[in-house]
Amino acid sequence: MLRSVPRLILVLALVMATVSLAVPVTAYAQGATVAQQRKDPISSFFNSLFGGLTRRSQPARQIRTPQKNVGSSRSGAVVRKRAPAVVAVEKAEDAKRVVVFGDFFADGLEAGLKEAFLESSSVIVDGQNEASSGLVRADHFNWPAFISGWLADPERTTDLAVIMIGANDRQNLSDETGEHQARSERWRELYAERIDAIIELFDDRGVPLYWVSLPPVASGRLSQDYAYFNELYRERAYRHGIQFVDIWNSFVDEAGNYTATGPDINGERRQLRSEDGLHFTSAGNRKLAHFVAREIRRDFGREGGLFLALPQGATGPQPFMPSDEQLRTGVGEVVALTGARGGLSTTLAGGPDPTPEAPRDSAYRQTILEGEPPETSPGRSDDFSWPRKSVPLPTAVIPQPSDPAAASVPDEETAGGG
C-alpha cells in the first residue's frame, strides 16, 4: 500500500499538468472568473484542495512623492507657503502721512509700516532715516537740526511721527567739563537732554510722536546697553506724555533671551533676525511694524482725532481706525432696529465737542495731570510730617434752649384773625 502512494502522487501531478496546459496561463495570473471555473471543474477542485498552482500577483505599490517644504530657515524652522502679495490701494487725497525717523532699525520699521498700511487708502508712510546716525554725535548727522528743518518746511506734511533711534549711541559724550563714559551719571543727564530736545521739537509743532524701543540682539553686552537706553526713552516719554512702544518682549524666547526665530504676524514660525544677530529680516520688520501700527489704529481719534476716515464727511473722531473693507461695506456700525434714538445728539463722550479744561490752580490738574502731591493739613491722614504738630480741637458750641414764655406769645398777624 505504501509503495502505491508515490505512483498516485505522480499520476495526480501528470493530470494537473495536463489540465494547466489546457487553460491559458494568463487566466491564472489574472485570476480565473467564475465562468472559467465552471468550465474546468477539475482544475477548480485541485485549486481549492492545494491552494492553486500559480501565485497571485501582488498589487502594484503606490510610490508617494515626498512633499517638499516650501522653505526652511537655517535653524530648521519650516516655513509654509506665504499668501499672495497684497495689492496696494490708491491713497486718498486727504490721506494722513506717517513719517519715520531714525537709524537702520527705523529703516526696517518704515518698510514694515508700508506693508502694514498697504491696503489702507487713508495712511501714507514716509521715512527719513540715516542708518549710521544717533543722538550722541551731532557732527555726523544733526537730528535736532534736521527735524526742525523738516517740520518747518511748508511743503512737507507730517501728521504723525515715529522715531526709532539709539542703536549707534554706545559712545562717550562730552561737555564743558570733559568727556563722559557711556552710561555714567553725567552721560545719562546729557543723553536725556538730547531726548527731550527731540520730543520738544514735535511738541512745539503739535505733531503726535511715537517713540519705539530698541530690540534685543545676539550680543549680550549690546543688549544690556539697549535695555539701559530703553529705560531712558520710557522715562522721558512718560515725562512728556508721548506714546512709548515697547517691542522688546516680542523678540525674546520664554526665558527672556534673544532668539532669531519666532512667530510672525500670522503665527507661523519664521526667521525674524538676520545672521549677524542685529538686523531684522523682512518678516521681522513686518512683525516690528505690527506693534506700532496697532498703537496707531488703537489711538485713532484720540486727542481731537488724528484721522477722519469715514466716508460720510467729518463725523468726529472714531474710537478706532476702520479698515477699507469696513468703509466699503459699512459693517461694524451699530444702528437701532426698533424705536427712536434717544435724543437728537449723536455725540458720545470723547466726541468732537471740546472738553472743558480744568482750572490751572485746581487740585485735579495739579494732582492728576501734573503729578504734584496735594498740600497737606496738620492732623490729616496724609500728613507725614515729624514731629507731629498738635492741632487744637474746635470748641463745641452748645445751643441754648429758647425761652418757652416767648414762644407762647402769639404773633400779632395771627392773633388778628384773618
Side-chain angles (χ1 to χ4, degrees):
M1 183 64 180
L2 296 175
R3 294 180 180 179
S4 62
V5 173
R7 294 180 182 179
L8 179 59
I9 295 176
L10 179 60
V11 172
L12 293 175
L14 291 174
V15 173
M16 289 187 293
T18 305
V19 174
S20 62
L21 291 176
V23 181
V25 179
T26 57
Y28 287 99
Q30 300 176 358
T33 62
V34 177
Q36 290 173 340
Q37 292 177 0
R38 290 178 180 176
K39 293 179 181 179
D40 189 9
I42 299 177
S43 177
S44 302
F45 169 74
F46 286 108
N47 285 336
S48 62
L49 182 62
F50 297 99
L53 298 177
T54 58
R55 183 180 298 173
R56 293 184 180 180
S57 59
Q58 297 292 334
R61 296 180 61 185
Q62 296 180 357
I63 302 176
R64 296 182 179 180
T65 305
Q67 297 180 356
K68 297 181 179 180
N69 294 331
V70 177
S72 60
S73 64
R74 296 183 180 272
S75 62
V78 178
V79 180
R80 298 179 182 178
K81 186 176 180 181
R82 299 186 64 184
V86 181
V87 180
V89 299
E90 184 179 356
K91 302 298 182 180
E93 295 182 359
D94 58 346
K96 304 302 179 180
R97 186 175 299 273
V98 177
V99 184
V100 184
F101 301 89
D103 49 27
F104 61 88
F105 279 139
D107 189 49
L109 175 60
E110 174 197 348
L113 283 176
K114 286 182 177 179
E115 185 177 353
F117 290 105
L118 201 61
E119 294 183 286
S120 176
S121 61
S122 57
V123 178
I124 299 175
V125 179
D126 192 5
Q128 299 298 318
N129 310 307
E130 178 62 29
S132 58
S133 66
L135 300 181
V136 171
R137 292 187 55 183
D139 57 337
H140 173 70
F141 192 88
N142 193 327
W143 273 110
F146 176 82
I147 294 176
S148 179
W150 175 273
L151 297 177
D153 191 345
E155 297 182 358
R156 296 170 176 173
T157 304
T158 303
D159 297 295
L160 186 145
V162 179
I163 186 168
M164 187 176 185
I165 201 170
N168 305 310
D169 285 345
R170 300 171 65 247
Q171 306 178 49
N172 297 342
L173 273 172
S174 301
D175 62 355
E176 63 278 0
T177 61
E179 189 176 63
H180 304 278
Q181 188 176 4
R183 296 182 57 176
S184 64
E185 189 63 29
R186 180 54 182 164
W187 185 95
R188 181 186 181 93
E189 295 176 359
L190 295 174
Y191 195 73
E193 292 176 0
R194 303 197 176 196
I195 299 174
D196 294 343
I198 296 294
I199 297 176
E200 290 171 0
L201 289 174
F202 293 99
D203 186 44
D204 293 341
R205 293 283 179 176
V207 177
L209 176 63
Y210 288 73
W211 199 295
V212 184
S213 73
L214 295 174
V217 293
S219 171
R221 185 172 182 178
L222 194 59
S223 292
Q224 291 179 359
D225 291 336
Y226 284 178
Y228 178 86
F229 295 165
N230 286 341
E231 290 305 316
L232 273 173
Y233 303 146
R234 187 195 310 273
E235 175 188 339
R236 307 321 298 176
Y238 175 79
R239 291 285 184 180
H240 291 271
I242 67 171
Q243 184 75 16
F244 179 74
V245 184
D246 191 354
I247 52 92
W248 184 279
N249 292 332
S250 302
F251 295 95
V252 295
D253 58 13
E254 296 179 354
N257 300 321
Y258 165 85
T259 178
T261 61
D264 62 0
I265 60 173
N266 298 319
E268 298 179 0
R269 191 167 184 82
R270 299 287 298 275
Q271 186 81 18
L272 303 178
R273 309 299 289 269
S274 59
E275 296 180 354
D276 60 3
L278 186 65
H279 295 78
F280 286 93
T281 62
S282 58
N285 284 325
R286 180 62 186 88
K287 182 177 180 179
L288 171 65
H290 165 76
F291 302 101
V292 182
R294 181 183 63 181
E295 295 299 327
I296 294 176
R297 293 189 178 99
R298 179 181 299 172
D299 294 341
F300 173 73
R302 191 184 66 173
E303 298 297 336
L306 295 176
F307 308 107
L308 296 177
L310 292 182
Q312 294 86 8
T315 58
Q318 305 301 314
F320 64 94
M321 183 175 181
S323 63
D324 284 5
E325 183 67 21
Q326 291 174 331
L327 297 180
R328 289 191 299 267
T329 62
V331 176
E333 182 181 359
V334 179
V335 179
L337 300 179
T338 58
R341 296 186 178 183
L344 300 177
S345 176
T346 59
T347 302
L348 300 178
D353 295 341
T355 303
E357 295 185 359
R360 301 293 301 180
D361 56 349
S362 65
Y364 169 79
R365 173 175 289 276
Q366 294 177 359
T367 305
I368 304 300
L369 301 183
E370 299 180 0
E372 298 180 1
E375 297 181 0
T376 62
S377 299
R380 206 166 63 182
S381 61
D382 59 347
D383 179 23
F384 301 102
S385 60
W386 191 261
R388 291 284 188 180
K389 299 178 181 179
S390 59
V391 180
L393 296 177
T395 304
V397 178
I398 302 176
Q400 298 297 328
S402 58
D403 189 1
S408 60
V409 177
D411 187 67
E412 294 182 358
E413 296 181 0
T414 307

